[in-house]
Amino acid sequence: MKFGTILLYGIVLGLILVLPAYFQYQFMFMTYGVEWHIGFIALLFLVIGVWVGNQLWANRKLESAQNTPIVRSGNPGAPGLSQREFEVLCGIAEGLSNQEIASKMHVSLNTVKTHVANLYDKLDVKRRTQAVQVAKTLGLLS
Amino acid sequence: MKFGTILLYGIVLGLILVLPAYFQYQFMFMTYGVEWHIGFIALLFLVIGVWVGNQLWANRKLESAQNTPIVRSGNPGAPGLSQREFEVLCGIAEGLSNQEIASKMHVSLNTVKTHVANLYDKLDVKRRTQAVQVAKTLGLLS
DNA sequence: CACGGGCTCACCCAAAAGCATGAATTTGTC
DNA sequence: GACAAATTCATGCTTTTGGGTGAGCCCGTG
């Protein structure tokens, strides 16, 4: 997020905080009592919080969307996958189970599991679907 | 969103509104003065607002973020995926676990499992990686 | 030769995913 | 309002995945 945006938010929030504290003292505070005043402040800031939350989230979403292509162009083969690990990754991307990959590669299920585990470690993921997604953004898979 | 969730939110908000109004009068109010009290309430509800906003809009965010592909594809092969089924498909493609998808959509794990099962039936697949692969070849996902 | 990396396999355990089934609720349509 | 589709949730069960550990083999490098 840009610094100017943060500053803008800060100014808006500050104004909204200060203005009521300045004005309400003379009207609502004395007229309706402190309970209503506090309730008003609470409701006001609840709404502001919702708004701010949405603003923050929108920015985060934009950033993540922009990040994806950057990573792709920067890292061609960075994770350093070995031959077998890459073959296993391809099998995963095809939607095969570990057992099917094992049969295809003529190795045991345990071996595939080991490759898969090392693969996850290098790609820094925890699930096979995530591995596929990350591998595609890294340009490892088409 | 189910009724229980709304009720829960209401109770939490009500408690947070009432409790300070009850306790602070005896401590902070007298100790630090009304300005600090109001500031505290404002900050508290600002945070609550951010949280509530994220909870309320998370669903809509997911839909809007993932609606683009289905519009783009225009339902060619017509596997006839429902809205929710497509949303979980997007979650799967992102590499999320069923539990994470459930949290994101504000439904239970069991519900996600049901959607996933129906999804597999319609796409004629048996695993989530396969579902992603098939969905991409069908043009359902980019 | 010793060392490290890659490949292979095994075992155990926990978590996640998947399958089948039933059911309540909501929603859209006729 | 009736009906179908969609959505939600649950329960019990099996299979698949993932994590951790250990170990034997081969091969290239220092």
Side-chain angles (χ1 to χ4, degrees):
Chain A
M1 194 188 316
K2 282 187 303 213
F3 177 73
T5 313
I6 298 177
L7 190 65
L8 180 63
Y9 289 169
I11 290 176
V12 170
L13 286 178
L15 277 182
I16 293 176
L17 178 64
V18 168
L19 283 185
Y22 193 83
F23 278 105
Q24 304 299 323
Y25 274 152
Q26 330 212 351
F27 303 100
M28 185 186 262
F29 197 7
M30 293 309 175
T31 314
Y32 299 103
V34 69
E35 292 87 356
W36 286 99
H37 184 209
I38 291 174
F40 172 75
I41 293 290
L43 187 61
L44 180 64
F45 272 81
L46 186 67
V47 174
I48 294 173
V50 172
W51 176 73
V52 169
N54 270 336
Q55 297 298 307
L56 290 177
W57 193 90
N59 276 348
R60 200 180 314 156
K61 174 177 137 194
L62 186 64
E63 286 172 19
S64 71
Q66 288 171 344
N67 259 342
T68 311
I70 294 174
V71 175
R72 169 194 296 217
S73 62
N75 292 10
L81 299 185
S82 70
Q83 179 63 35
R84 298 301 255 177
E85 284 163 357
F86 185 72
E87 291 175 31
V88 170
L89 176 60
C90 291
I92 290 176
E94 289 175 25
L96 304 177
S97 68
N98 286 341
Q99 182 58 68
E100 288 168 339
I101 296 173
S103 302
K104 209 168 187 175
M105 291 173 62
H106 303 290
V107 295
S108 81
L109 174 61
N110 292 308
T111 304
V112 174
K113 282 188 175 187
T114 304
H115 286 318
V116 168
N118 295 332
L119 186 61
Y120 292 167
D121 197 47
K122 290 182 179 178
L123 290 182
D124 191 29
V125 298
K126 291 194 176 300
R127 278 175 297 277
R128 46 183 44 221
T129 45
Q130 213 180 348
V132 173
Q133 202 266 331
V134 168
K136 295 203 175 187
T137 64
L138 286 178
L140 298 176
L141 296 173
S142 56
Chain B
M1 191 184 315
K2 60 175 191 274
F3 178 74
T5 312
I6 298 177
L7 189 65
L8 180 65
Y9 288 170
I11 291 176
V12 169
L13 285 179
L15 276 181
I16 292 175
L17 179 63
V18 168
L19 283 183
Y22 193 84
F23 278 106
Q24 305 300 323
Y25 274 152
Q26 331 210 351
F27 303 100
M28 185 185 262
F29 196 7
M30 294 309 176
T31 313
Y32 299 103
V34 68
E35 290 86 357
W36 286 98
H37 183 211
I38 291 175
F40 172 74
I41 293 291
L43 187 61
L44 181 64
F45 273 79
L46 185 67
V47 173
I48 294 172
V50 172
W51 175 72
V52 169
N54 267 331
Q55 297 297 305
L56 288 180
W57 300 133
N59 220 357
R60 185 171 304 179
K61 279 182 260 168
L62 181 66
E63 289 176 19
S64 68
Q66 307 297 350
N67 252 343
T68 317
I70 206 175
V71 173
R72 182 196 301 173
S73 71
N75 265 338
L81 299 187
S82 70
Q83 178 65 35
R84 297 302 254 178
E85 284 163 359
F86 184 73
E87 287 178 46
V88 303
L89 175 60
C90 292
I92 290 174
E94 290 176 22
L96 304 179
S97 68
N98 285 342
Q99 183 57 67
E100 287 169 339
I101 296 174
S103 302
K104 214 169 185 176
M105 291 174 61
H106 299 291
V107 295
S108 80
L109 174 62
N110 291 308
T111 303
V112 174
K113 282 188 174 188
T114 304
H115 287 319
V116 168
N118 294 333
L119 186 62
Y120 292 168
D121 196 49
K122 290 181 179 178
L123 290 181
D124 193 28
V125 298
K126 291 191 177 303
R127 278 174 298 278
R128 45 180 46 218
T129 44
Q130 216 180 344
V132 174
Q133 202 265 330
V134 169
K136 295 204 175 188
T137 63
L138 285 178
L140 297 178
L141 295 173
S142 56

